[in-house]
Amino acid sequence: MPTLFIDADACPVTKEALACARAARIPVVIAGNSTQNLERRIQRNDPRSPENARGEDAKHPGFWVETLDVSTGADSADFAIVERLSAGDIVVTQDIGLASMVLGRSAFAIGVRGHAYNKATIDMQLFIRHEEKKVRRAGGRTQGPSAFTDDDRERFRCNLTRLIKEALRE
């Protein structure tokens, strides 16, 4: 049974990710620093432990949600997620560096706009990120992301649902 990890740092689709996990009956870990209100998207009646989970049996406990408060240091949530990650788990993140580490652990990574990261293209995405960072450090400007839309949110929901089904088959 895969676990869905949510890198909560500036994640606009936490609500949608939790809804997908509830529907698929898989556990969730929301990771973020202690300055965030990680509890705000969790429903009052959501189980908070495997013992109280909604699932078919003890072997597959089903949906439950845990929050993982990490320090405010750079990449703290990323390293906390990678430390707990198992092959076949799914991570929601907009951080390409974290996505790369996730793929290296034989897990799945999906961006907040619904882009499923893959091993064939992640090196090029890391290279582009590096080059853009060099331009910014030299005082240049790079194009930022476009505004987040309802279409992005729907694409994310559809692609995460598909990814969860794929992970459950493995």
Side-chain angles (χ1 to χ4, degrees):
M1 162 97 39
T3 297
L4 177 66
F5 289 87
I6 302 172
D7 178 7
D9 294 335
C11 182
V13 290
T14 302
K15 180 180 174 183
E16 290 78 6
L18 283 167
C20 289
R22 278 187 203 99
R25 295 188 176 136
I26 64 170
V28 177
V29 176
I30 304 173
N33 68 49
S34 55
T35 63
Q36 299 179 28
N37 180 3
L38 299 178
E39 304 281 333
R40 74 179 185 271
R41 297 287 185 198
I42 300 171
Q43 294 177 3
R44 186 181 319 266
N45 62 345
D46 283 341
R48 302 304 299 270
S49 70
E51 295 79 31
N52 299 321
R54 297 186 193 124
E56 298 92 40
D57 57 43
K59 186 176 176 187
H60 298 97
F63 173 77
W64 57 278
V65 61
E66 171 188 1
T67 58
L68 179 60
D69 285 324
V70 298
S71 67
T72 56
D75 302 324
S76 294
D78 300 355
F79 294 123
I81 289 171
V82 170
E83 184 178 291
R84 291 171 164 233
L85 200 61
S86 297
D89 286 343
I90 303 164
V91 178
V92 176
T93 185
Q94 52 188 338
D95 183 319
I96 296 169
L98 174 57
S100 177
M101 290 187 282
V102 167
L103 295 175
R105 296 248 176 152
S106 298
F108 301 94
I110 185 169
V112 298
R113 294 176 187 261
H115 169 75
Y117 296 99
N118 66 65
K119 290 181 180 182
T121 60
I122 196 71
D123 287 339
M124 182 56 74
Q125 291 172 298
L126 286 167
F127 175 76
I128 291 168
R129 179 185 77 164
H130 176 71
E131 291 300 311
E132 288 177 345
K133 193 172 194 176
K134 283 183 1 186
V135 169
R136 289 191 300 274
R137 281 188 178 159
R141 299 184 85 181
T142 58
Q143 184 176 357
S146 58
F148 194 78
T149 67
D150 288 339
D151 288 341
D152 293 325
R153 196 175 301 284
E154 182 61 22
R155 184 180 323 102
F156 170 81
R157 190 193 59 73
C158 290
N159 289 345
L160 178 58
T161 299
R162 187 177 312 120
L163 198 57
I164 289 171
K165 288 178 182 176
E166 183 179 337
L168 286 169
R169 280 194 297 269
E170 289 195 357

